[in-house]
Amino acid sequence: AQKVTQAQTEISVVEKEDVTLDCVYETRDTTYYLFWYKQPPSGELVFLIRRNSFDEQNEISGRYSWNFQKSTSSFNFTITASQVVDSAVYFCALSEARTGNQFYFGTGTSLTVIP
Amino acid sequence: DVKVTQSSRYLVKRTGEKVFLECVQDMDHENMFWYRQDPGLGLRLIYFSYDVKMKEKGDIPEGYSVSREKKERFSLILESASTNQTSMYLCASSLWAAPGGYTIYFGEGSWLTVV
């Protein structure tokens, strides 16, 4: 079973629109960690954020915000006022305290921001 | 900043050739990984290493081997390259971060084409 599901394969938005990327995870651990990574066309996966399961506080960083909801096992990522430079593939990932160094990645959401 | 460097960004090799993909990290991380990324399949773990000379198979180790002689360097070896190994290869290393759990950081990726 897929531990991390990113149901949106591709999304296109017009510049300055807001866009939300969905991530649903599955785990039986009470302690776990959630991540988002950005992969621009150059290929490198860039770390964006890490969230611990015991910290449900939402986070905002500039135009980026993350909504962590344990009740729905979701960790969604919103880009406000999107820009062309936001065009990339975004990956959500999970690791569990029990397995430590094992990471489960979603299949990614390809975001295209149209100028 | 964490730096994971992959020696080759683009390679073209012939079927049957032995291929070495090199990866170096400069943050004294104990854990290093090799992933393969293919369209529609996301990231798949080939091998990881939790210490010098230690290695563990990931999800798709067949056709690959690894070497970790020094802490900072983790090499992926294709003993006899085949066309179905044409892919993007990502090296990563992970760091334990307070208050708990690991965070994984990636290199720029190596695009391998086997002809």
Side-chain angles (χ1 to χ4, degrees):
Chain A
Q2 191 77 3
K3 280 189 171 279
V4 177
T5 301
Q6 295 180 256
Q8 304 151 309
T9 306
E10 296 181 0
I11 302 176
S12 291
V13 298
V14 176
E15 200 170 22
K16 298 184 184 176
E17 286 185 349
D18 298 348
V19 58
T20 295
L21 310 182
D22 297 332
C23 174
V24 174
Y25 62 92
E26 179 185 331
T27 181
R28 293 183 180 179
D29 273 26
T30 55
T31 301
Y32 52 91
Y33 311 93
L34 296 162
F35 307 83
W36 275 97
Y37 290 84
K38 174 183 179 180
Q39 187 179 41
S42 59
E44 179 181 2
L45 265 79
V46 178
F47 168 75
L48 294 178
I49 191 171
R50 165 187 145 137
R51 213 74 188 126
N52 306 323
S53 57
F54 42 85
D55 181 4
E56 282 194 76
Q57 193 171 12
N58 291 326
E59 183 154 338
I60 298 174
S61 175
R63 295 184 297 106
Y64 294 174
S65 62
W66 290 270
N67 183 6
F68 176 29
Q69 292 201 340
K70 269 188 176 180
S71 59
T72 55
S73 296
S74 64
F75 185 44
N76 296 337
F77 173 29
T78 297
I79 302 174
T80 303
S82 60
Q83 299 176 2
V84 172
V85 293
D86 296 326
S87 296
V89 180
Y90 291 85
F91 289 91
C92 181
L94 163 76
S95 71
E96 299 164 320
R98 177 176 54 87
T99 51
N101 222 351
Q102 189 165 3
F103 294 85
Y104 303 95
F105 287 88
T107 49
T109 297
S110 177
L111 173 66
T112 300
V113 180
I114 303 164
Chain B
D1 280 354
V2 176
K3 190 65 178 175
V4 180
T5 303
Q6 296 183 227
S7 57
S8 303
R9 289 280 277 151
Y10 302 96
L11 306 92
V12 179
K13 298 292 182 180
R14 295 193 178 277
T15 300
E17 272 194 78
K18 191 169 186 177
V19 181
F20 292 87
L21 300 179
E22 306 285 347
C23 175
V24 176
Q25 49 95 3
D26 66 356
M27 288 300 294
D28 202 35
H29 291 179
E30 297 204 348
N31 307 297
M32 296 188 74
F33 307 77
W34 275 105
Y35 286 87
R36 171 177 171 161
Q37 183 179 9
D38 300 288
L41 297 177
L43 278 73
R44 294 181 291 169
L45 180 64
I46 304 171
Y47 269 97
F48 73 95
S49 168
Y50 52 89
D51 203 349
V52 175
K53 297 189 186 294
M54 307 302 287
K55 61 184 179 184
E56 291 283 344
K57 293 180 179 179
D59 301 319
I60 52 164
E62 296 78 18
Y64 304 94
S65 62
V66 291
S67 171
R68 192 159 180 209
E69 297 297 319
K70 293 184 178 181
K71 192 174 186 180
E72 67 271 18
R73 187 178 297 270
F74 192 35
S75 303
L76 179 69
I77 304 156
L78 287 67
E79 295 289 344
S80 178
S82 63
T83 54
N84 63 12
Q85 292 179 310
T86 292
S87 187
M88 158 87 136
Y89 291 88
L90 287 157
C91 177
S93 67
S94 71
L95 169 71
W96 178 269
Y102 290 91
T103 297
I104 189 169
Y105 298 92
F106 287 87
E108 313 95 325
S110 297
W111 299 85
L112 171 66
T113 301
V114 183
V115 298

